[in-house]
Amino acid sequence: MIDPRAIIDSEAQIAEGVRIGPFTVIGAGVEIGPECTIGPHVVIKGPTRIGRGNRIYQFASIGDDPQDKKYRGEPTRLEIGDDNTIREYCTLNRGTIQDQGVTRIGSRNWIMAYVHIAHDCVLGDDIVMANNASLAGHVQIEDCAILGGFAMVHQFCKIGAHAFLQFAAGVNRDVPPFVVASGIPARPAGLNT
């Protein structure tokens, strides 16, 4: 189940039934729950906790330092729930002490290729983030929201439940639940019925 070419720190905790592909690097302080599949060439740094049944595809960078100039190596973390799909080349960063010190990803989210989830973001459940969607730091996304390809969300913004960001929407303020937003800057374009 674990390819012998993977590099796994002795302090990492890997549950039963986890598959890990070749050339993947798993660092100290990483916990991976049961029945996860980690593809080849993935890098996971800790402290990071990954729940049950997640699928992480090749070349993803999970739990690395936050991209924040104020970060000075403080102990922060990334928490990922259950049954998420994280596709190729995604970057999910740990939190900062300027917030709660944690980036949280809920469960059953579909995170497509090249998505960036910055430090201190909090995502609920059943969210879809299409290719190249990007979140700046401290963004909150409620359950069942959909972010179209290349959608960008400015730091400290909140995306409500069932909101829909159309292709290349540039969000610089909160989007209420059930609102469809489009354009740069994003404006309401209807209701997600």
Side-chain angles (χ1 to χ4, degrees), residues 118-136:
H119 60 87
D120 304 294
C121 288
V122 177
L123 278 66
D125 302 328
D126 302 300
I127 294 165
V128 175
M129 295 183 68
N131 296 345
N132 294 94
S134 294
L135 307 180

Side-chain angles (χ1 to χ4, degrees), residues 2-7:
I2 298 176
D3 191 285
R5 294 166 291 180
I7 300 170

Side-chain angles (χ1 to χ4, degrees), residues 92-111:
L92 284 67
N93 296 151
R94 296 192 321 273
T96 65
I97 61 168
Q98 286 74 34
D99 202 316
Q100 296 184 31
V102 61
T103 300
R104 285 191 176 93
I105 313 296
S107 296
R108 299 176 308 282
N109 296 300
W110 192 20
I111 301 171

